[in-house]
Amino acid sequence: THRVLENIQQEMPKIRMVNRENLLLLGAPICEEAIEGVLQEKLQDLQRMTERLTTIDAHDAVFLLRSCYAIPKLTYFLRSAPTYRTMATLQEYDQVIKKCLEDIINIKLGQEAWTQSSLPVKQGGLGIRKATDLALSAFLSSAFSSAHGASALLPGDIKMENYIEVQEALDLWKAQFSEDKEQDLPEDVTVQTMWDQPVFELRYQELLENQTVPTEKARLIAAHSEHSSGWLTAVPVPKLGLKLDDRSLQIAVGLHLGVSLCHPYKCGSCGLLVDTTARHGLSCIKAKGTKPRHDKINDILLRAMGAARHTSAPEPTGLCLDDSKRPDGITLFSWKHGMQLVWDVTCPDTLAPSYLQLTSKEAGKAAEKAEKEKIQKYQELTHKYIVMPVAVETMGAWGHSSLKFVQEIGERMKMASGDKQATFKLLQNISMEVQRGNIASILGTLPSPKSFNQLFYL
């Protein structure tokens, strides 16, 4: 064969001979021997890019790392070749991503924090996915989605069952699940998310089962709940109020992942000890972020009501016999059933000792308890008004009635403006203000404004 190839090359000098290690089609490796070279090139590109990301604002850098420069740059190759056979290189790729994330947010990530970071945002993570987690799902979904086209091009005696790599990948995918939790194949084998979802659900359950401390369980459960992490999906645009400064992002991510943020110190407001997680500020009796957060969320709701073409007014007086009880807002015309709406905002701490028995078992239980307390507080108004509490927890979990109410406002905004993302944007804005309230509360525990650099890990 070698002599034949030499003769061909001599007779046709314009034919270029390519070895298996360099054999690519549209940039994708054709042979297994070429996979390593492609991945090494991508790894070098990622290393150069991560060095540059650390020179820009942290919020911008995290957004770009998640959406553009980490896994998105690799997805085409994960789908076009059995890269799962080169796990060592993929693990190296993951370590570069992890190191870049640590440098950007200025936090040292342990194994559990890194695992949580690699989960999708909807599942309580940061959305900084691992290549090792996606290699199988990307390849399998691509193989099955292209099977029909491939079979039309190939001879009839070559079947999908003859594709050794697919059968091997299927076995490896199934092997991730224990025998007592055997996983069926996805309903739609052509969709990557369908392959991916059971894997990250498994990762989340493993994280949850490894937690023995109620506060950590409550944190993970809240992070996993619906719409609790809207702030993480925000495009960091300062003029829209969707961008956090570097210090604020460090605190917000640290609270989300449950990592150590600071050295222990005495709270400058109440004198109690603040531990390394800095969570004391969330439930401090003199928390400085509580009122600004409350006022800002209420302002968002007032503006949302206006966008939905429902005129409203803040803090109406004279509704209750006890004038010290004033709801946060009222619609000036009927909301539904010929009745006006009054609402009241509250933000209970998910990790407060008084709620842990509830929040460590199910998401949103602190918010639901707060909803019942608000209804009870304004019981005398229920015969004349629709009383609606708006309860969202410090860790982002929503009360069931509150979430339904805010989504209804979003739907009315969509009908009025035609903006299909109105509900999403409303929830995202509220989520950002919850984080800003958390950050203000934590910074309010510092003995002095200048002590951040001495107490927090930099």
Side-chain angles (χ1 to χ4, degrees), residues 363-431:
K365 284 300 179 181
E368 289 180 11
K369 185 177 180 181
E371 287 176 344
K372 292 177 182 177
E373 291 172 352
K374 288 293 184 182
I375 293 293
Q376 184 62 36
K377 178 179 178 181
Y378 296 106
Q379 185 65 38
E380 62 181 287
L381 298 180
T382 55
H383 69 284
K384 187 176 179 181
Y385 301 92
I386 298 173
V387 178
M388 184 57 64
V390 181
V392 55
E393 299 174 12
T394 54
M395 291 292 108
W398 284 85
H400 176 73
S401 299
S402 301
L403 179 59
K404 189 175 179 180
F405 168 59
V406 173
Q407 288 175 329
E408 184 178 356
I409 298 175
E411 286 298 314
R412 296 194 183 202
M413 290 171 64
K414 183 172 71 173
M415 291 177 62
S417 65
D419 184 358
K420 295 181 180 180
Q421 290 191 313
T423 303
F424 172 77
K425 291 175 181 177
L426 176 58
L427 289 165
Q428 189 178 73
N429 278 315
I430 294 175
S431 180

Side-chain angles (χ1 to χ4, degrees), residues 57-92:
D57 292 345
H59 203 161
D60 294 332
V62 169
F63 180 82
L64 290 173
L65 181 68
R66 179 178 66 238
S67 306
C68 304
Y69 296 134
I71 294 302
K73 288 286 187 181
L74 197 64
T75 300
Y76 172 67
F77 303 99
L78 294 178
R79 291 181 60 84
S80 59
T83 55
Y84 61 85
R85 289 183 169 180
T86 56
M87 276 298 181
T89 306
L90 292 182
Q91 288 172 353
E92 190 176 353

Side-chain angles (χ1 to χ4, degrees), residues 19-210:
N19 58 32
R20 293 173 68 87
E21 289 78 9
N22 297 319
L23 189 57
L24 307 176
L25 178 64
L26 300 177
I30 300 299
C31 303
E32 184 179 345
E33 293 86 342
I35 295 176
E36 185 67 27
V38 170
L39 289 179
Q40 286 296 334
E41 183 180 346
K42 286 296 172 184
L43 181 60
Q44 292 172 8
D45 290 343
L46 178 65
Q47 288 170 335
R48 283 194 297 269
M49 186 56 62
T50 54
E51 292 175 2
R52 298 168 184 172
L53 282 177
T54 57
T55 64
I56 64 176
D57 292 345
H59 203 161
D60 294 332
V62 169
F63 180 82
L64 290 173
L65 181 68
R66 179 178 66 238
S67 306
C68 304
Y69 296 134
I71 294 302
K73 288 286 187 181
L74 197 64
T75 300
Y76 172 67
F77 303 99
L78 294 178
R79 291 181 60 84
S80 59
T83 55
Y84 61 85
R85 289 183 169 180
T86 56
M87 276 298 181
T89 306
L90 292 182
Q91 288 172 353
E92 190 176 353
Y93 196 91
D94 289 343
Q95 286 304 309
V96 174
I97 297 174
K98 177 175 179 284
K99 177 65 166 55
C100 179
L101 179 61
E102 289 177 333
D103 291 343
I104 292 171
I105 61 178
N106 208 5
I107 294 174
K108 184 67 176 177
L109 299 176
Q111 187 55 47
E112 288 187 351
W114 171 229
T115 300
Q116 184 184 346
S117 299
S118 66
L119 294 176
V121 172
K122 288 184 178 180
Q123 305 301 322
L126 298 182
I128 310 294
R129 307 304 308 280
K130 292 181 184 178
T132 49
D133 284 345
L134 293 171
L136 288 170
S137 59
F139 177 73
L140 285 169
S141 60
S142 178
F144 280 103
S145 61
S146 61
H148 179 72
S151 62
L153 296 172
L154 295 172
D157 59 336
I158 300 179
K159 305 294 183 182
M160 189 70 169
E161 292 76 13
N162 303 127
Y163 196 175
I164 299 174
E165 286 82 356
V166 172
Q167 299 305 315
E168 184 180 69
L170 276 172
D171 293 338
L172 289 172
W173 185 83
K174 292 177 181 178
Q176 297 178 95
F177 307 94
S178 60
E179 294 181 0
D180 59 328
K181 296 181 180 178
E182 187 175 346
Q183 183 68 38
D184 296 329
L185 295 186
E187 292 183 10
D188 188 346
V189 293
T190 66
V191 179
Q192 181 175 329
T193 306
M194 300 290 283
W195 290 95
D196 196 24
Q197 186 169 347
V199 177
F200 57 64
E201 282 292 349
L202 177 66
R203 300 283 183 271
Y204 169 76
Q205 290 300 327
E206 289 173 347
L207 279 175
L208 194 60
E209 290 169 5
N210 289 337

Side-chain angles (χ1 to χ4, degrees), residues 211-220 279 350-353 356 360:
Q211 299 299 336
T212 57
V213 181
T215 51
E216 299 309 315
K217 280 195 171 185
R219 175 184 59 80
L220 278 171
R279 294 172 183 159
T350 309
L351 309 180
L356 273 181
S360 60

